[in-house]
Amino acid sequence: MWEEGGQPVVAVEVDTIDDWQSYIAAGVGIGVTPASTAWMHPHAEISYLPLRDAPPVPVYLVWASNNRHPALSSFIQLARDVVAEGAE
């Protein structure tokens, strides 16, 4: 997420979001994560605050080329609409 030389100091490396949250909740440190983490992994003992000067995190929408699900095109359009709303 960070440019070379601009990375924060890493005190502990973890393999899972649960471990990451446990260290933060225990007061071992703080963490930087995409905004989606607050929505997807809420935690009663953690406050998620925006970092206004943090670099953007690219997000990609991908699907298998042989996917024929009837809702696929609607989902793609919804994702495009959400991204467009966020850019306003």
Side-chain angles (χ1 to χ4, degrees):
M1 288 180 20
W2 305 95
E3 293 181 17
E4 189 63 37
Q7 304 94 328
V9 175
V10 176
V12 177
E13 292 203 22
V14 296
D15 294 320
T16 68
I17 188 72
D18 293 329
D19 290 345
W20 180 78
Q21 288 178 316
S22 294
Y23 278 109
I24 293 169
V28 173
I30 61 173
V32 176
T33 187
S36 58
T37 305
W39 177 73
M40 295 177 65
H41 302 279
H43 192 288
E45 298 177 46
I46 296 175
S47 295
Y48 292 93
L49 304 172
L51 290 176
R52 304 249 183 252
D53 60 345
V57 176
V59 175
Y60 299 92
L61 176 61
V62 298
W63 60 92
S65 60
N66 64 350
N67 186 327
R68 303 287 182 248
H69 193 283
L72 179 60
S73 61
S74 295
F75 180 75
I76 293 168
Q77 187 58 54
L78 175 63
R80 287 180 173 151
D81 292 346
V82 168
V83 169
E85 282 180 23
E88 295 174 357

